Each structure stands twice: as structure tokens, then as C-alpha cells.
Amino acid sequence: SLNSKLNTGLKIGMNDRMGFVKHLFNGNNQDFNRVMSQFNTINSYEEAQNLINNMIKPDYNNWEGKESYENRFLELIARKYQ
């Protein structure tokens, strides 16, 4: 459909973005931006999950205690690959 063709980018609203940077990336905007650009080179949700679980989360204490932000983040990432 036209809608799925137009919905190719990863769209994250300002409130989500601020929450993710603060809670998931320890306030580091550059890390968040770097991770977001990596998703542009990934072709499947499985690859994205692998990147998150093996490369990103270990750098940030596995996002312990941040499950609500993690779930929202994963939900938005999953939408990119639908």
C-alpha cells in the first residue's frame, strides 16, 4: 500500500526521544543518534533485536529498571520493519 511505502523511516517523537536519551542512553544524545543511524543499515527486526541485545544494552547496564522505556523503544523499532 501507499501508506507502507511512505512509512519507511524511523519516526520518534520528541517526548519519546528525550525519554530514551535520558533513561536508555544515560543522557548521551550522540550515542542515541549513532544507534538510530545504525538502524538505517539493518533490514529486519531480527537483526535490530540482535544489535540491541548484543551491542547496545550491555553498554547501558542492560537497561535494568528501565523496562517501560525499553518496551516503548522496541515497539517503535518493530514498527520500522513491519
Side-chain angles (χ1 to χ4, degrees):
S1 74
L2 177 61
N3 197 30
S4 59
K5 287 179 183 167
L6 294 175
N7 193 20
T8 55
L10 187 54
K11 294 169 184 65
I12 297 180
M14 185 56 72
N15 288 338
D16 281 331
R17 179 186 177 88
M18 288 173 23
F20 297 152
V21 169
K22 180 179 179 182
H23 297 282
L24 299 182
F25 294 90
N26 297 336
N28 191 323
N29 229 344
Q30 289 175 322
D31 283 359
F32 176 81
N33 290 334
R34 181 174 37 80
V35 166
M36 291 298 100
S37 70
Q38 286 178 297
F39 288 125
N40 292 329
T41 67
I42 293 175
N43 297 316
S44 72
Y45 183 60
E46 291 73 28
E47 286 180 69
Q49 279 184 307
N50 190 38
L51 175 71
I52 291 166
N53 292 326
N54 298 315
M55 303 295 287
I56 299 168
K57 285 177 65 173
D59 287 347
Y60 300 96
N61 198 32
N62 287 308
W63 293 342
E64 285 184 26
K66 316 252 171 101
E67 286 78 14
S68 63
Y69 290 97
E70 177 181 1
N71 291 338
R72 176 72 177 145
F73 185 73
L74 294 175
E75 177 186 312
L76 293 173
I77 299 302
R79 277 191 209 163
K80 177 181 178 6
Y81 300 101
Q82 289 178 343

